[in-house]
Amino acid sequence: MKNRHLRKAGLTAAAISAALLMTACQNGADDSSSGESPAAKASPVDATKKASDSKNSKGAKNSKGVSGSFKNGEVSYLAPGKYIVSVPGRDDQQFWVAEDTEVYGAGAICGDAGSKVDAPCTLDQLESALKKGSVKADVEMKDGVATLVTERRAAQQDSDSNSDSGSGSRETVVEGIDKGKGVNGTWFGNVSYLAPGKYTVSDMKGTEQQFLVADDTKIMGYDDICDAVNTGPGGEGGVECTEAQLEAAAKKGFSAEVKISNGIATTITDDH
């Protein structure tokens, strides 16, 4: 009798174990057929985070910086390539500079304070000047990037404070050349590239003079600007180079004699 009860209990336990095993196998089959494991299913928190990240990324991509004119301003250095302009009556505005940002100086950023025309400056000269202190300047911006930074002359500060135009008597280097106010002379030094058609030549003291080139500028090369043939004693001398060759050489830097008339180079002859 006792053995009979034990056999019944054993059969009942075996039946329960088999039922549980079949249920577990069925659940496993359901997960496999769906192609997902429980660990692979995204939680509601993960899904919400992914949607939020996507939204923020899209918003940042579509955001635009400030555009406009900031006249009668004072520009200060913040970080490499980043500056801030302060204009009376307006909130301070941060901005960036780009490779095509035009910068003109009148003695503080670059150039000569006594000159009647503004000199084109490099971005390095802008950064170097502003690291020493703020500079009075007008800034034109598009989407948070400066398109034009123009140093204000001391004589303009008072006259422009009551004017929104900010024009004063300022002239760009090109406008000055058009009026015959460009620089004249001969320089011996290192020639460097500024922008298409714009270059600088530095003298023995390191003082840089900006100049332009024209269609009739004569560019003579003796292996520095362009390859010359038989330039030794008794040779035919240098060869005339193209402006494209001049630009490529100036981006690396080379020594030359530059003759300038009204701000435009008449001849450029590399040192030989």
Side-chain angles (χ1 to χ4, degrees), residues 162-180:
N162 298 321
S163 171
D164 291 330
S165 64
S167 58
S169 59
R170 180 172 61 244
E171 295 174 341
T172 67
V173 65
V174 176
E175 290 169 340
I177 287 173
D178 289 341
K179 297 178 181 180

Side-chain angles (χ1 to χ4, degrees), residues 219-227 241 245-246 249 254 268 270:
I219 306 168
M220 297 300 298
Y222 289 81
D223 292 333
D224 287 337
I225 303 175
C226 61
D227 294 334
C241 310
Q245 290 172 319
L246 169 67
F254 66 91
I268 302 173
D270 74 36

Side-chain angles (χ1 to χ4, degrees), residues 120 173-174 177 196-199 210-214 217 258 260 262-266 268:
V173 65
V174 176
I177 287 173
K198 296 180 182 179
Y199 302 85
Q210 294 86 10
F211 65 90
L212 304 176
V213 295
T217 298
V258 182
I260 303 174
N262 190 28
I264 300 174
T266 56
I268 302 173

Side-chain angles (χ1 to χ4, degrees), residues 185-245:
T186 300
W187 280 260
F188 298 89
N190 191 62
V191 175
S192 301
Y193 174 82
L194 270 182
K198 296 180 182 179
Y199 302 85
T200 63
V201 56
S202 59
D203 59 20
M204 298 297 292
K205 297 180 180 179
T207 303
E208 294 184 337
Q209 174 60 52
Q210 294 86 10
F211 65 90
L212 304 176
V213 295
D215 291 340
D216 58 351
T217 298
K218 191 173 183 179
I219 306 168
M220 297 300 298
Y222 289 81
D223 292 333
D224 287 337
I225 303 175
C226 61
D227 294 334
V229 179
N230 192 19
T231 58
E236 63 182 19
V239 297
E240 192 160 357
C241 310
T242 65
E243 186 177 343
Q245 290 172 319

